[in-house]
Amino acid sequence: MPAQVKTDNSMDQQTGLTSQQAADRLKQFGPNETTTKQRRPPWLDQLLLLFNPLSVVLLVAAGISLFIGERFDAVLIAAIVTIGGAIDFAQTYHAQVTIERLRATVAATASVERDGAWRELPRSQIVPGDRIRLSAGDLVPADARLIESRDLAILQAMLTGESTSAEKMATSAEASCAADAVNMVFLGTSVVSGTGIAIVTATGRATAFGDIVAQLASKAPETAFDIGIKQFSYMIARVVFVLVLLVLAANLALHRPPIESLLFAVALAVGLTPEFLPMITSVTLARGAVAMARKHVVVKHLPAIQNLGSIDVLCSDKTGTLTAGAMSLVSSALPDGTLSDAVRGIAAVNSSLQAGIRSPLDAAILASGATSTTQTKVDELPFDFQRRRLSVVVEEHSRRQLICKGSPEGILPLVTSVSTSAATEPVTPGWLQQARSYCDAQSNLGHRVLAVAYKAVPIKPQYVLADETALTLAGFLSFADTILPDAAETIASLSLDGINVKIITGDNELVAAHICAQAGLSVTEIVLGEALELMGDTALTQVAERANVFARVSPPQKLRILNALRRRGHTVGFMGDGINDAPSLHAADVGIAAPHAVDIAQDAADVVLLEPGLAVLHEGILEGRHAFGNVMKYLLMGTSSNFGNVLSMAVAAVALPFLPMLPAQVLLNNFLYDLSQLTIPTDRVDAEYIAKPQEWDIAVIRRFMILVGPISSIFDFITFYVLLHVFHAGAAEFHTGWFVESLSTQTLVLLVIRTGRSPFRSRPSWALLASVVTIVVVGFWIPYSRFSASLSFTHLPVSYFVFLGSATALYLGMVELVKRHIMSKGRYLRTGHHVRRENI
């Protein structure tokens, strides 16, 4: 572990490092990463694929075959293992590279001074000695000692457990590892308000809390998709173990050659094991991620794609989803409603001098007119969601004034006087009623209202919240936000696709209702934050299900709403962009960072939107369902058709006087079958499948295995009977006949299982159709090729192909009937707005 750089005031260079200095230090200290895991070289990944247990047994068997003189079998087995591993590696490696490129597009950066200029660099490139610039919303990229600061507040909860922010400032003290060091900021913390410039003292695992940060970020919670894949793997492992053990024991009991019996048992295990599952899953999800990126939705974690497709409740603020998020100032008025630019001027002083994140309202204030001021800032009382206001203390000509702006609800109770065009008057009930009526009228127009107030304050070292009393109301500012032109259409489309949109906003209920009406969102019930405070969790669970607009809501209340919806069994997506949205982004099944979200929000999210509006997210959700649908096709194939063929082999191995297929033939059959499925990620998915939220259901997979697998075995047994008693086949002819029948039926059935519709009403992708037809043709060709004798195959009579055509058609028809029965049992049930799949 590299040592921390000892810093003192002599290191406070006036400019940052040069590029050459940074490169030298990057070599010395390594990248700024808390995880020490490095990507293995590609050749090692390829080698590891060849050393999974089944591959090792097959390679050992190939060596034994070569030793006893079965050279062709040895070469074939080794070739199948090597080519299969190479395909697996190539596809998986490409998928990994693809997703890493996508992550890089939304990778967190830091503001670093290099070669005398400030630039945004990836956090991994920061080195000890770098000068970094911090502002509200930033994640602290490394341990650093402050050399400049302005009203800097740092949230250190993930390191210290303290829920309140800690004030930090530049001092002459040397660097320290203590969390309470006032002049130090640490990797893993975040900036709540203020700005600062600091010298990096340590990076990566050498940071004071590097090990803690690594543990917190080492592994994301398992998604339903991860858990489902694990359940599927356990189920397959149990079935493989039992079948292989029984077949091996039976063959040894019948005194068959031990080596051939072992190889046959291993070949059976390979036949039932969906060895390409990790590759098919990675490729399918990576293709989905690329398709989503083209639609301006970047997925940071591949498993999140499945969760995105499962969303049935989407929670979001109205800004940036129903509206464009570009606020404009529409009026500046005195408390009596008289228009006056003086109110905007007072608010502009507050907006220009505050150290926290400037909201769209601040941007609108500053963009609406001149903002120059001769006043200097003395102190600041930062915004919080309990007070709903922000104050700055300014000084001019030895006089100090506190200027406060915030929601009318947060300021009006503190007002003791009002400013009019003529003079300042004491507050009366009439004045307050007039002020509230004005605010309500503006809110009914869909305008967001800010109150502006001020007071003279005495000179003292520090100001506290208690100073926000006895204010003079200067007036009100009203802002408008443009409704997105496609908002109504997108909400209707989301509803049709099984997604219920719920608006959670800090605005008042009048503004929220107006915006929702304009955007075409029918309001079922509006619940206020004050009401949520009085509700227990049980009551909130019922209310969260019923209501679709929550107004005047604080960040902790957002979190309670999300948890209540999840307790109802919903898969919840949450879209946020601010510092206080990070907990909710973590808590949701899918955290979605809105465009221009702060670093903290982007870091907490699973998905990052690059453009505003729900339409972009809707496209991403549909892509998630498409990707999940194709993964499910592979799983259903692997547990139905494969299971049936392996079951047939197991029974035949005991009942026949010879093995139903030689081990090399079994491996070749399975290899060709696997090749036919490589194009599943390119396949189309039925519109009705995409139109509903999709959830992982191991019961459906199990039903396919139990019901469809035996159908395959029944037709295999019919083929055995025909070969033995109609064509009087010997061992070679039997092996050939069943090889062709087995490969044809289990490959062609993919065209049936891939869709919930009739296969004649759902067109597969050209790539999938071509791969299926090609493999069937290859299966027919092999017995007549020059490899036939080496594989112990022989020619088949034409009359057998007549039987095979009829049997295959009847088999596919039977599978279609059973598939429809299974699909009807796996019907969708609606509970309120929730769509779930019934477990049978």
Side-chain angles (χ1 to χ4, degrees):
M1 179 184 297
Q4 286 192 0
V5 175
K6 298 297 182 183
T7 63
D8 53 35
N9 293 345
S10 65
M11 289 190 65
D12 298 351
Q13 63 266 25
Q14 295 302 309
T15 61
L17 301 176
T18 65
S19 294
Q20 185 58 52
Q21 288 174 320
D24 293 340
R25 297 193 185 193
L26 189 63
K27 291 179 182 178
Q28 178 183 358
F29 298 103
N32 180 33
E33 296 171 349
T34 55
T35 54
T36 55
K37 180 180 178 182
Q38 298 179 350
R39 174 187 280 184
R40 293 186 295 260
W43 63 266
L44 183 57
D45 280 331
Q46 172 69 72
L47 196 62
L48 291 174
L49 283 172
L50 298 179
F51 281 93
N52 68 71
L54 289 177
S55 295
V56 169
V57 173
L58 288 175
L59 290 173
V60 170
I64 295 172
S65 297
L66 183 65
F67 179 75
I68 63 176
E70 299 290 342
R71 182 176 299 176
F72 184 84
D73 283 359
V75 172
L76 178 64
I77 294 170
I80 287 173
V81 173
T82 304
I83 295 172
I87 293 173
D88 194 350
F89 164 75
Q91 296 278 13
T92 303
Y93 182 76
H94 177 70
Q96 289 174 346
V97 170
T98 298
I99 195 62
E100 286 178 11
R101 285 176 180 168
L102 291 178
R103 283 181 188 145
T105 64
V106 293
T109 59
S111 184
V112 184
E113 189 176 11
R114 290 277 175 86
D115 300 318
W118 289 98
R119 60 184 68 174
E120 291 294 317
L121 295 177
R123 284 188 285 185
S124 61
Q125 295 183 17
I126 292 176
V127 296
D130 264 328
R131 282 165 60 102
I132 58 174
R133 185 165 57 190
L134 302 172
S135 58
D138 288 349
L139 288 168
V140 177
D143 287 4
R145 182 173 59 81
L146 289 166
I147 57 174
E148 294 181 26
S149 64
R150 179 181 176 186
D151 303 314
L152 190 62
I154 303 290
L155 185 64
Q156 303 182 139
M158 70 181 298
L159 303 181
T160 65
E162 294 291 334
S163 59
T164 56
S165 58
E167 186 176 353
K168 300 285 184 172
M169 64 182 68
T171 69
S172 58
E174 293 192 2
S176 168
C177 293
D180 58 356
V182 73
N183 67 329
M184 292 294 298
V185 291
F186 298 100
L187 174 70
T189 61
S190 56
V191 182
V192 176
S193 63
T195 60
I197 295 177
I199 300 290
V200 173
T201 58
T203 58
R205 293 298 284 269
T207 55
F209 301 97
D211 289 338
I212 297 176
V213 174
Q215 290 170 12
L216 291 171
S218 61
K219 188 176 182 182
E222 285 188 325
T223 65
F225 184 76
D226 295 323
I227 295 170
I229 289 289
K230 188 178 293 184
Q231 290 174 341
F232 172 78
S233 301
Y234 288 155
M235 181 182 73
I236 289 296
R238 289 194 296 268
V239 174
V240 167
F241 179 77
V242 171
L243 276 179
V244 169
L245 200 61
L246 289 175
V247 169
L248 180 60
N251 278 315
L252 292 176
L254 293 171
H255 304 293
R256 288 175 179 161
I259 296 299
E260 188 177 62
S261 297
L262 174 63
L263 189 54
F264 181 76
V266 173
L268 281 185
V270 173
L272 186 55
T273 303
E275 61 269 30
F276 280 174
L277 174 60
M279 181 267 288
I280 292 286
T281 301
S282 295
V283 171
T284 304
L285 295 181
R287 283 180 63 91
V290 171
M292 291 165 70
R294 293 194 189 105
K295 296 172 181 176
H296 310 290
V297 180
V298 177
V299 178
K300 292 166 58 181
H301 312 292
L302 278 183
I305 292 178
Q306 189 277 328
N307 270 2
L308 193 62
S310 299
I311 287 176
D312 65 320
V313 173
L314 175 63
C315 298
S316 175
D317 193 353
K318 57 181 179 53
T319 305
T321 54
L322 304 184
T323 65
M327 292 287 183
S328 59
L329 181 65
V330 294
S331 69
S332 171
L334 296 172
D336 61 3
T338 304
L339 296 181
S340 171
D341 191 58
V343 182
R344 187 208 65 82
I346 296 171
V349 174
N350 179 296
S351 294
S352 63
L353 295 179
Q354 70 174 71
I357 293 179
R358 288 201 175 118
S359 71
L361 300 181
D362 291 308
I365 292 170
L366 298 176
S368 62
T371 57
S372 60
T373 177
T374 58
Q375 297 167 310
T376 57
K377 179 180 169 183
V378 176
D379 202 354
E380 178 173 337
L381 302 175
F383 177 87
D384 65 58
F385 282 90
Q386 283 69 45
R387 292 164 42 248
R388 294 179 177 272
R389 58 185 180 269
L390 178 148
S391 297
V392 295
V393 178
V394 296
E395 182 175 350
E396 186 178 23
H397 305 309
S398 300
R399 292 183 178 181
R400 291 189 179 181
Q401 186 179 49
L402 181 147
I403 301 175
C404 181
K405 75 174 191 296
S407 70
E409 297 83 6
I411 289 183
L412 288 180
L414 308 176
V415 169
T416 57
S417 60
V418 295
S419 177
T420 68
S421 55
T424 299
E425 300 180 11
V427 164
T428 64
W431 267 115
L432 287 178
Q433 183 58 45
Q434 184 178 356
R436 291 191 177 99
S437 296
Y438 176 82
C439 293
D440 288 346
Q442 292 295 309
S443 296
N444 279 321
L445 295 174
H447 295 162
R448 190 168 177 182
V449 181
L450 277 185
V452 181
Y454 61 90
K455 68 176 288 189
V457 291
I459 295 176
K460 58 181 180 177
Q462 189 174 14
Y463 296 86
V464 295
L465 298 183
D467 291 309
E468 293 178 327
T469 57
L471 302 179
T472 298
L473 180 63
F476 303 101
L477 302 179
S478 298
F479 304 83
D481 195 359
T482 306
I483 299 292
L484 290 171
D486 61 347
E489 181 183 352
T490 303
I491 287 174
S493 298
L494 286 167
S495 180
L496 286 174
D497 289 332
I499 303 164
N500 186 18
V501 177
K502 294 183 184 287
I503 299 300
I504 305 177
T505 179
D507 283 347
N508 68 52
E509 65 277 17
L510 299 176
V511 174
H514 182 89
I515 296 296
C516 288
Q518 282 191 310
L521 178 62
S522 178
V523 178
T524 57
E525 182 180 346
I526 298 180
V527 179
L528 301 183
E530 303 93 86
L532 293 177
E533 282 296 319
L534 303 176
M535 289 183 196
D537 289 342
T538 302
L540 179 57
T541 300
Q542 302 299 320
V543 171
E545 181 73 38
R546 190 173 64 240
N548 66 342
V549 177
F550 300 85
R552 300 185 186 180
V553 172
S554 66
Q557 290 170 340
K558 289 183 185 180
L559 195 57
R560 287 190 65 204
I561 294 168
L562 297 184
N563 289 332
L565 289 167
R566 295 187 71 198
R567 286 195 299 271
R568 292 280 297 186
H570 292 287
T571 300
V572 181
F574 175 77
M575 187 187 299
D577 61 359
I579 296 174
N580 291 288
D581 286 329
S584 296
L585 289 166
H586 271 300
D589 292 291
V590 183
I592 304 157
H596 313 301
V598 297
D599 284 355
I600 302 168
Q602 286 204 21
D603 192 67
D606 304 297
V607 177
V608 178
L609 302 187
L610 303 182
E611 289 189 356
L614 291 176
V616 174
L617 180 60
H618 185 209
E619 291 290 337
I621 289 172
L622 298 185
E623 283 295 341
R625 294 178 185 178
H626 184 279
F628 181 63
N630 278 336
V631 172
M632 285 299 294
K633 291 174 188 178
Y634 181 78
L635 297 178
L636 294 178
M637 286 295 299
T639 51
S640 55
S641 180
N642 276 18
F643 176 71
N645 278 323
V646 171
L647 182 62
S648 301
M649 288 186 192
V651 173
V654 177
L656 295 176
F658 48 81
L659 289 176
M661 242 190 273
L662 298 178
Q665 295 169 346
V666 175
L667 292 172
L668 179 61
N669 182 295
N670 181 69
F671 178 68
L672 292 174
Y673 168 67
D674 281 342
L675 289 182
S676 73
Q677 298 182 86
L678 291 180
T679 51
I680 286 178
T682 70
D683 194 25
R684 299 179 178 90
V685 177
D686 296 339
E688 55 268 29
Y689 185 92
I690 292 178
K692 299 182 180 71
Q694 298 299 329
E695 297 179 356
W696 180 273
D697 190 355
I698 194 70
V700 171
I701 299 174
R702 193 183 300 116
R703 282 198 298 274
F704 260 86
M705 182 176 75
I706 294 172
L707 296 178
V708 177
I711 294 176
S712 175
S713 295
I714 290 171
F715 279 88
D716 285 337
F717 297 149
I718 293 173
T719 302
F720 295 167
Y721 180 85
V722 170
L723 283 169
L724 292 173
H725 298 286
V726 176
F727 293 99
H728 306 289
E733 195 170 28
F734 185 95
H735 294 158
T736 307
W738 192 38
F739 176 89
V740 173
E741 184 268 349
S742 172
L743 184 60
S744 300
T745 54
Q746 71 175 344
T747 303
L748 289 172
V749 80
L750 174 56
L751 301 178
V752 175
I753 291 178
R754 60 165 291 276
T755 175
R757 305 175 183 175
S758 161
F760 299 104
R761 293 182 55 243
S762 177
R763 187 161 53 94
S765 69
W766 286 111
L768 180 62
L769 183 62
S771 67
V772 167
V773 172
T774 299
I775 294 302
V776 172
V777 170
V778 169
F780 278 66
W781 168 77
I782 286 176
Y784 299 92
S785 69
R786 63 190 185 93
F787 306 109
S788 177
S790 301
L791 288 166
S792 301
F793 285 141
T794 187
H795 292 185
L796 294 168
V798 175
S799 55
Y800 176 75
F801 290 100
V802 175
F803 157 76
L804 180 59
S806 302
T808 301
L810 187 58
Y811 165 66
L812 296 178
M814 286 289 294
V815 172
E816 174 65 17
L817 291 175
V818 173
K819 178 195 75 177
R820 292 186 185 185
H821 171 74
I822 295 173
M823 293 298 185
S824 68
K825 290 292 184 182
R827 60 188 176 275
Y828 287 92
L829 301 180
R830 283 189 178 271
T831 306
H833 295 284
H834 181 44
V835 180
R836 65 179 176 85
R837 184 179 289 277
E838 183 185 45
N839 291 323
I840 303 296

